[in-house]
């Protein structure tokens, strides 16, 4: 049996421990501590995730009718000397002041990560009928225009430990932009996967970046591009929609990950087609871009017959009251009224707009409800995908 | 516009939240400012796809139950916060693959634990039992010291609490050796060293004994809805009691008047004044945000004498199979190449994997923490923030993270004989860079200052008033007197809050 000898330890050392500590402290220098920003982990963190990036338009390319590529570089005078590196598939949020409305919009970066190292991002933006931001940007941005942007954000990226080596990308319309970045990243050796891009457009004329994709496909054996035209018969291309058969026809042998980016109508269609292929959930990735619209069409929308409500937003110790449409998200209504609140993805997922609903009721479509479990218990909502059903009061944070 | 409060709490981590809730509840006009957009600091959660991950909590000690509440339970209860606690009654499984390796699993409950230790190392039972008895002696001594308001009678200490004095000034290993504990038993019992970040030959015995006892006596607790549940609950306690919480509100400067801390400025220029400031921000950051003339020389010396505590690379996996399909039966597995904590610590950078890491499967405690047919794994790998690779840049950072994750996942697959890789539906990897980003701590520290024995918790508590002497400024959190860990942060938060209430309202 082991025998206890605790008494063999000196207890009097306890009385000297303080003095010993004082001696160690006394020997240390009284020099000021280094600034937190000087530590390496903090330096890398702020290089990758700056709070804001001040950018300036360096060039604008007309890509097609109503589509422009906006080249952005760091606005050194405003403190952005280097733009943040990113992963293909990520987006930037632009902070816009449109006649007093303070709005944000996420745009996928269409340029390659390598171009960011050379100091440039490219956002390719398509004019949306009645779209507040796209029209503003396409009509008013010119070389020299200054704009504030977020750090690169988003999870629509190739992850080698998660995704199959072969990526089948399904793109619709301007949903092509993240895949342009990915194709370039593969070409540059910055991502190690193969890409089979199935790109749906209405007509040949509406295919964006065709020359670039064709060039990459010609020179890089890891990239393959298939164009699918829905509104035009053309023997050079596939015709119709992106169906399960079409995907099977071009998908590589073995496991593949499907990445989808396009308009809502395309998601609805493609998801049904993918169901036929019986892929594991882990092999299907959606970019969740875009605002949820027309909530009243949803079967579970609790229609109350009201179209106008009052929103009271408490931000720090300021209180704002606005009238809003029940058809608009709370975030949209606040922004339209010049009230800046935090937001990034505007799709319910990222949680930047996390706000506390203290009074009233809202409708949150299930498909975009990206809240954390405890949020439900404590009344937290994501205003970017919450539609007011009554007068509401919420506590929001200041924009960041 | 300048604003005036009774109390400003800078930083809404575990300590700051409890401090603010405590002062608000006492009727003081309280404002908590937090740089992030949600509360909790490390005590939070994040979503990827259909998974909601726990970012930092392994297991909370000192919780207890409604019937037998311990410190943490009491803190939440007193603040009116209801938490859906779930319990784990196994302490851990430790697998050592190298020389003199072992694979043992220890149940909670002192008697169970001692039985399991005896089975693993015949003949060690009495020494292990004596280890836990010391915890009781320590608790009695601390109660006496507390009763004497920190000024115990030296003779009473010597005659009644000599064993406390012994554990309070020796290392864990010294005490265990004195107890006659065999080496293998020490190695097993000392598996938890990483929770305090310092190997047991330089870790204060009293501190470690008290922590281990707390896990063994009461089991460990976890909130059902990740740590976000804890933090939102505490936030509600602040606002229900009339306090305010501002998010996206980062402190850029501490404000002083004649050497007294009188408030903070935010990065947007907003100035906030208060009768008392409680800092959940680590002293290093407070000093770098203060005019140097307001930082006492001794505080700078102390800061420069200290090292930041250990921090981690963490890997979060959402798998598209159940833990049963994988054959996982343990909540916490410590995997080491070496049996001895000092060796585990020294070989933390070995390739392909460091000598020591932890893997948790939350579904073991909370079966429905992820959707049906799935489970989650959480890897924890210790390193110091300044030990990131020399050539790490923003550009190769993602590759670094994936490389680390791949090596550890593959090692664990080999050790357990299971396939994890092909089931990864979601993955996130955090490093000191991640913690630097979200917490703003120097080099991404999350444990405050390291718990080397010269700077142990007993000394920190004894010298608190000397260590931090700026009037109007009180510290709480992992960098404060109790060291790292959720429970310590909550306890120092409560202590800071109560100290400020006493200063402003008087009484005991």
């Amino acid at each position: 049996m082991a025998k206890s000898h605790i008494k063999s330890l000196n207890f009097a050392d306890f009385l000297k421990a303080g003095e010993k500590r004082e001696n160690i402290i006394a020997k240390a220098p009284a020099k000021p501590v280094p600034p937190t920003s000087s530590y390496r982990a903090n330096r890398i963190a702020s290089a990758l995730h700056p709070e804001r990036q001040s950018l300036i338009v360096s060039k604008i390319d007309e890509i097609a009718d109503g589509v422009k590529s906006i080249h952005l570089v760091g606005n050194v005078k405003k403190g952005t000397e280097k733009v943040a590196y990113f992963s293909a598939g990520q987006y930037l949020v632009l902070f816009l002041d449109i006649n007093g409305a303070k709005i944000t919009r996420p745009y996928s970066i269409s340029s390659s990560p390598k171009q960011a190292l050379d100091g440039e991002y490219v956002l390719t933006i398509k004019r949306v009928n009645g779209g507040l931001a796209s029209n503003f940007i396409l009509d008013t941005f010119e070389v020299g225009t200054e704009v504030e942007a977020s750090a690169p954000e988003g999870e629509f990226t190739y992850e080698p430990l998660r995704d199959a080596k072969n990526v089948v990308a399904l793109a619709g319309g301007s949903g092509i932009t993240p895949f342009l970045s990915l194709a370039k990243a593969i070409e540059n050796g910055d991502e190690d996967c193969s890409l089979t891009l199935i790109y749906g457009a209405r007509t040949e004329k509406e295919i964006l970046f065709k020359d670039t994709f064709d060039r990459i496909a010609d020179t890089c054996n890891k990239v393959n591009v298939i164009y699918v035209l829905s509104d035009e018969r053309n023997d050079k291309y596939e015709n119709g929609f992106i169906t399960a058969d079409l995907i099977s026809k071009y998908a590589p042998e073995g496991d593949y990950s499907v990445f989808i980016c396009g308009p809502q109508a395309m998601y609805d269609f493609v998801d049904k087609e993918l169901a036929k292929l019986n892929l594991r959930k882990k092999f299907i990735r959606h970019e969740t871009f875009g605002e949820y619209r027309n909530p009243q069409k949803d079967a579970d929308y609790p229609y109350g017959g009201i179209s106008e409500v009052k929103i009271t937003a408490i931000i720090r110790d300021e209180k704002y009251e606005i009238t809003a449409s029940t058809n608009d998200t709370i975030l949209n209504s606040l922004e339209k009224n010049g009230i800046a609140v935090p937001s990034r993805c505007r799709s319910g997922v990222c949680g930047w707009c996390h706000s506390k609903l203290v009074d009233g009721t809202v409708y949150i479509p299930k498909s975009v409800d990206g809240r954390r479990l405890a949020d439900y218990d404590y009344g937290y909502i994501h205003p970017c995908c919450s539609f007011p059903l009554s007068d509401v009061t919420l506590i929001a944070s200041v924009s960041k | 516009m300048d604003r005036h409060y009774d109390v400003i709490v800078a930083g809404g981590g575990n300590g700051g939240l409890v401090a603010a809730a405590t002062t608000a509840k006492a009727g003081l006009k309280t404002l908590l400012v937090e740089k992030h957009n949600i509360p909790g600091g490390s005590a939070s959660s994040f979503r990827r796809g259909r998974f909601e991950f726990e970012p930092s909590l392994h297991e909370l000690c000192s919780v207890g139950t409604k019937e037998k509440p311990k410190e943490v339970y009491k803190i939440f209860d007193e603040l009116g916060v209801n938490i859906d606690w779930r319990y784990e009654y196994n302490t851990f499984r430790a697998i050592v693959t190298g020389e003199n390796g072992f694979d043992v699993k220890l149940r909670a409950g002192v008697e169970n634990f001692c039985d399991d230790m005896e089975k693993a190392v015949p003949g060690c039972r009495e020494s292990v039992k004596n280890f836990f008895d010391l915890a009781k002696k320590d608790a009695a001594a601390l109660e006496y010291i507390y009763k004497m308001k920190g000024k115990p009678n030296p003779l009473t200490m010597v005659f009644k609490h000599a064993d406390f004095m012994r554990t309070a000034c020796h290392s864990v290993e010294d005490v265990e050796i004195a107890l006659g504990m065999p080496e293998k038993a020490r190695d097993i019992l000392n598996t938890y060293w990483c929770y305090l970040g310092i190997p047991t030959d330089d870790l204060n015995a009293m501190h470690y004994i008290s922590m281990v006892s707390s896990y063994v006596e009461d089991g460990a607790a976890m909130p059902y809805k990740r740590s976000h549940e804890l933090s939102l609950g505490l936030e509600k306690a602040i606002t229900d009691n009339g306090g305010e919480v501002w998010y996206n509100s980062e402190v850029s400067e501490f404000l002083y008047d004649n050497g007294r801390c009188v408030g903070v400025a935010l990065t947007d220029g907003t100035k906030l004044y208060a009768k008392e400031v409680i800092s959940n921000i680590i002293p290093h950051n407070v000093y770098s945000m203060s005019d140097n003339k307001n930082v006492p020389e001794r505080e700078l010396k102390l800061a420069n004498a200290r090292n930041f505590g250990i921090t981690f690379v963490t890997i979060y996996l959402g798998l598209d199979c159940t833990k049963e399909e994988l054959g996982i039966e343990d909540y916490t597995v410590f995997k080491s190449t070496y049996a001895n904590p000092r060796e585990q610590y020294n070989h933390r950078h070995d390739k392909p994997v460091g000598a020591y890491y932890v893997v948790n499967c939350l579904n073991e405690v909370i079966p429905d923490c992820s959707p049906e047919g799935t489970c989650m794994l959480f890897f924890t790998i210790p390193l110091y923030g300044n030990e990131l690779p020399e050539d790490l840049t923003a550009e190769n950072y993602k590759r670094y993270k994936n490389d680390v994750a791949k090596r550890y996942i593959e090692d664990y697959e080999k050790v357990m004989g299971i396939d994890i890789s092909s089931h990864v539906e979601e993955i996130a990897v955090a490093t000191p860079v991640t913690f630097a980003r979200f917490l703003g701590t120097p080099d991404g520290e999350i444990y405050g200052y390291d718990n080397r024995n010269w700077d142990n918790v007993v000394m920190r508590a004894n010298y608190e008033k000397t260590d931090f002497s700026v009037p109007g400024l009180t510290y709480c959190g992992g960098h404060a007197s109790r060291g790292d860990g959720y429970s310590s942060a909550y306890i120092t938060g409560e202590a800071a809050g109560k100290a400020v209430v006493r200063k402003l309202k008087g009484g005991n």
Side-chain angles (χ1 to χ4, degrees):
Chain A
M1 274 303 251
K3 191 143 170 52
S4 168
H5 299 295
I6 184 73
K7 303 272 179 283
S8 67
L9 290 177
N10 184 350
F11 67 81
D13 287 354
F14 180 66
L15 306 169
K16 291 183 232 149
E19 196 187 321
K20 191 179 148 200
R21 183 174 187 267
E22 282 308 306
N23 284 338
I24 290 173
I25 296 167
K27 277 191 207 127
K31 62 177 190 219
V33 297
T36 311
S37 57
S38 68
Y39 294 92
R40 200 148 52 98
N42 303 70
R43 284 204 312 269
I44 297 171
S46 52
L48 281 165
H49 308 283
E51 292 272 316
R52 285 276 178 111
Q53 304 192 83
S54 296
L55 304 176
I56 189 160
V57 176
S58 61
K59 190 175 150 203
I60 297 179
D61 295 330
E62 192 98 27
I63 297 297
D65 198 20
V67 184
K68 288 180 183 172
S69 278
I70 315 282
H71 295 243
L72 297 160
V73 295
N75 189 342
V76 180
K77 268 191 284 181
K78 292 248 170 90
T80 300
E81 298 195 357
K82 267 177 100 167
V83 303
Y85 192 63
F86 70 100
S87 286
Q90 289 196 296
Y91 63 83
L92 292 182
V93 172
L94 298 187
F95 297 86
L96 304 167
D97 188 328
I98 306 177
N99 304 321
K102 291 195 160 49
I103 70 163
T104 66
R105 281 294 180 276
Y107 292 105
S108 290
I109 303 169
S110 57
S111 49
S112 68
K114 195 160 172 256
Q115 276 166 274
L117 292 179
D118 298 333
E120 179 189 71
Y121 297 125
V122 181
L123 303 180
T124 302
I125 298 171
K126 185 180 176 184
R127 192 182 294 277
V128 178
N129 233 339
L132 188 61
S134 65
N135 283 294
F136 174 78
I137 291 170
L138 294 198
D139 292 341
T140 68
F141 272 34
E142 52 191 29
V143 172
T145 298
E146 297 183 354
V147 63
E148 291 286 299
S150 71
E153 300 282 349
E155 318 292 337
F156 192 58
T157 53
Y158 171 72
E159 296 301 331
L161 300 186
R162 179 194 71 187
D163 301 322
K165 265 278 190 218
N166 293 306
V167 171
V168 173
L170 311 180
S174 54
I176 190 64
T177 50
F179 301 128
L180 179 59
S181 180
L182 181 60
K184 289 177 178 171
I186 294 169
E187 184 188 27
N188 295 332
D190 289 326
E191 294 289 1
D192 186 18
C193 63
S194 295
L195 174 68
T196 303
L197 172 65
I198 305 180
Y199 179 8
R202 285 200 187 87
T203 61
E204 183 180 25
K205 229 178 67 192
E206 287 189 19
I207 298 172
L208 303 177
F209 303 108
K210 186 166 181 306
D211 291 347
T212 312
F213 280 118
D214 288 345
R215 182 190 59 72
I216 297 174
D218 278 349
T219 55
C220 175
N221 60 10
K222 286 178 157 180
V223 177
N224 188 19
V225 186
I226 297 102
Y227 304 99
V228 188
L229 302 184
S230 62
D231 292 9
E232 180 185 306
R233 280 218 73 84
N234 187 326
D235 290 343
K236 284 194 289 181
Y237 310 107
E238 288 285 351
N239 294 285
F241 293 106
I242 301 176
T243 61
D245 286 345
L246 190 78
I247 295 167
S248 301
K249 180 175 168 187
Y250 290 103
E253 292 281 306
D255 285 338
Y256 56 90
S257 284
V258 180
F259 279 56
I260 313 157
C261 185
Q264 189 60 46
M266 177 201 169
Y267 286 177
D268 296 343
F269 181 83
V270 164
D271 282 343
K272 285 195 193 97
E273 293 300 308
L274 283 172
K276 298 175 192 167
L277 295 174
N278 256 333
L279 300 175
R280 281 158 75 190
K281 205 174 166 63
K282 69 167 261 166
F283 289 131
I284 302 177
R285 305 273 149 197
H286 293 82
E287 174 57 301
T288 45
F289 254 16
E291 311 241 335
Y292 200 89
R293 293 183 201 282
N294 305 318
Q296 285 153 9
K297 73 182 185 325
D298 292 357
D300 62 344
Y301 181 83
Y303 191 67
I306 336 170
S307 59
E308 202 178 88
V309 295
K310 197 173 81 185
I311 296 176
T312 306
I314 300 163
I315 303 174
R316 289 188 176 168
D317 44 14
E318 308 276 346
K319 200 180 229 182
Y320 305 87
E321 278 185 12
I322 59 166
T323 47
S325 158
T326 50
N327 224 4
D328 268 340
T329 63
I330 292 176
L331 175 64
N332 259 327
S333 296
L334 292 172
E335 290 183 334
K336 278 186 195 167
N337 285 277
I339 302 164
V341 282
S343 66
R344 287 291 182 270
C345 76
R346 306 184 73 92
S347 310
V349 175
C350 79
W352 271 76
C353 59
H354 196 252
S355 300
K356 189 164 188 160
L357 183 70
V358 287
D359 197 28
T361 52
V362 298
Y363 171 68
I364 300 170
K366 280 201 180 63
S367 63
V368 291
D369 190 352
R371 286 179 290 171
R372 299 163 169 94
L373 284 169
D375 287 338
Y376 296 82
D377 299 340
Y378 288 97
Y380 272 95
I381 60 168
H382 292 167
C384 72
C385 62
S386 300
F387 297 89
L389 294 168
S390 67
D391 289 350
V392 296
T393 302
L394 77 158
I395 301 172
S397 298
V398 289
S399 179
K400 187 171 137 180
Chain B
M1 186 176 92
D2 294 343
R3 282 113 159 162
H4 293 267
Y5 297 85
D6 291 329
V7 183
I8 289 170
V9 179
N14 286 334
L17 286 167
V18 169
T22 303
T23 58
K25 189 154 189 285
L28 297 174
K29 190 183 179 205
T30 301
L31 170 68
L32 182 146
V33 287
E34 161 59 39
K35 78 188 274 283
H36 196 30
N37 73 330
I38 48 170
S42 299
S44 173
S45 76
F46 64 94
R47 284 196 54 172
R48 288 284 184 281
R50 51 181 174 157
F51 296 89
E52 181 172 342
F53 291 102
E54 167 63 50
S56 67
L57 179 64
H58 290 88
E59 37 183 356
L60 232 164
C61 63
S62 308
V63 176
T65 58
K66 190 172 179 213
E67 291 70 34
K68 264 183 68 185
K70 293 289 174 73
E71 289 109 313
V72 172
Y73 197 102
K74 285 181 192 161
I75 288 171
F76 279 82
D77 205 39
E78 205 168 298
L79 295 170
V81 183
N82 285 317
I83 300 298
D84 185 353
W85 294 111
R86 302 300 169 99
Y87 297 89
E88 167 63 9
Y89 296 107
N90 291 304
T91 51
F92 56 78
R93 175 175 171 187
I95 303 174
V96 173
T97 55
E99 207 180 325
N100 301 322
F102 48 78
D103 180 351
V104 295
K105 188 167 174 169
L106 303 163
R107 290 166 298 157
V110 172
E111 291 306 319
N112 288 337
F113 191 94
C114 290
D115 289 347
D116 295 344
M117 285 293 292
E118 175 69 21
K119 216 167 90 191
V121 189
C124 77
R125 197 179 202 289
E126 191 188 333
S127 62
V128 177
K129 186 74 176 40
N130 286 338
F131 176 93
F132 290 111
D133 285 344
L134 286 173
K136 288 194 199 113
K137 292 184 183 173
D138 289 347
L142 288 170
E143 204 181 307
Y144 167 68
I145 295 169
Y146 183 74
K147 206 177 77 189
M148 301 301 287
K149 298 193 164 59
K151 295 192 170 42
N153 180 324
L155 283 177
T156 310
M157 288 303 291
V158 169
F159 286 109
K160 284 189 127 172
H161 302 294
D163 283 352
F164 163 81
M165 293 168 73
R166 291 184 175 99
T167 61
C169 68
H170 287 94
S171 75
V172 181
E173 300 276 350
D174 284 350
V175 167
E176 289 168 347
I177 289 168
L179 289 176
M181 197 181 291
E183 184 180 1
K184 184 178 176 188
R186 297 203 303 274
D187 288 343
I188 297 172
L189 185 55
N190 295 343
T191 299
Y192 267 151
W193 69 265
C194 192
Y195 285 2
L196 298 174
I198 288 289
T200 36
D201 60 4
D202 195 15
L203 180 63
N204 184 257
M206 201 233 59
H207 192 188
Y208 188 71
I209 293 169
S210 119
M211 183 193 73
V212 174
S213 300
S214 165
Y215 282 118
V216 171
E217 277 172 23
D218 310 315
M222 268 128 315
Y224 176 53
K225 295 177 178 176
R226 308 319 100 80
S227 296
H228 193 50
E229 177 182 353
L230 302 172
S231 301
L232 284 190
L234 290 171
E235 182 220 66
K236 184 167 185 288
I238 299 169
T239 52
D240 280 356
N241 286 296
E244 287 178 63
V245 180
W246 293 4
Y247 295 109
N248 289 355
S249 300
E250 184 172 359
V251 172
S252 59
E253 193 186 347
F254 281 73
L255 306 173
Y256 296 83
D257 182 19
N258 265 325
R260 183 183 180 85
C261 184
V262 294
V264 297
L266 304 180
T267 46
D268 64 10
T270 306
K271 285 192 170 152
L272 304 163
Y273 294 94
K275 294 172 188 155
E276 290 285 334
V277 175
I278 296 175
S279 180
N280 192 194
I281 298 175
I282 187 166
H284 262 77
N285 281 7
V286 173
Y287 303 150
S288 64
M289 289 191 276
S290 298
D291 188 329
N292 211 31
K293 71 172 197 275
N294 293 310
V295 183
E297 188 180 299
R298 188 177 178 292
E299 294 200 26
L300 278 182
K301 280 171 166 281
L302 174 60
N304 285 312
R306 287 172 149 175
N307 295 313
F308 298 121
I310 215 156
T311 179
F312 300 100
V313 169
T314 44
I315 306 165
Y316 311 91
L317 299 176
L319 305 180
D320 70 350
C321 62
T322 62
K323 71 178 182 64
E324 287 79 15
E325 288 171 82
L326 286 179
I328 288 176
E329 291 174 341
D330 309 289
Y331 171 58
T332 308
V333 176
F334 291 87
K335 190 267 169 176
S336 325
T337 330
Y338 299 86
N340 176 271
R342 175 57 66 180
E343 294 290 312
Q344 293 166 354
Y345 176 86
N346 287 345
H347 289 269
R348 63 189 178 277
H349 294 302
D350 282 3
K351 295 271 176 84
V353 295
Y356 178 95
Y357 63 91
V358 194
V359 182
N360 291 88
C361 178
L362 189 57
N363 302 74
E364 190 62 36
V365 183
I366 305 171
D368 59 345
C369 67
S370 67
E372 217 181 310
T374 70
C375 67
M376 302 197 284
L377 291 183
F378 170 30
F379 285 61
T380 306
I381 303 147
L383 84 169
Y384 288 96
N386 61 7
E387 293 177 337
L388 287 166
E390 291 286 336
D391 57 354
L392 190 65
T393 62
E395 187 190 345
N396 62 26
Y397 178 64
K398 184 175 167 183
R399 218 165 299 143
Y400 162 71
K401 286 203 297 186
N402 283 329
D403 173 57
V404 174
K406 189 166 187 285
R407 285 188 278 118
Y408 281 85
I409 292 168
E410 284 176 355
D411 186 71
Y412 198 60
E413 286 179 319
K414 217 163 62 192
V415 171
M416 305 300 278
I418 57 176
D419 165 28
I420 298 169
S421 303
S422 77
H423 292 289
V424 176
E425 179 172 315
E426 298 293 343
I427 178 169
V429 182
T431 73
V433 172
T434 317
F435 303 125
R437 173 190 179 193
F438 286 108
L439 308 176
T441 53
D443 258 341
E445 67 76 19
I446 54 175
Y447 268 19
Y449 298 107
D450 76 17
N451 290 306
R452 263 162 232 277
N453 206 5
W454 72 264
D455 190 26
N456 67 57
V457 291
V458 183
M459 289 300 119
R460 289 186 192 188
N462 273 354
Y463 286 84
E464 201 167 13
K465 291 205 168 73
T466 323
D467 288 351
F468 302 107
S469 61
V470 175
L473 182 59
T474 309
Y475 288 95
C476 65
H479 48 261
S481 59
R482 299 265 312 206
D484 61 85
Y486 274 45
S487 58
S488 297
Y490 290 138
I491 291 165
T492 58
E494 187 191 44
K498 286 191 169 165
V500 161
V501 171
R502 277 196 301 275
K503 278 187 212 165
L504 295 182
K505 297 185 77 173
N508 286 311

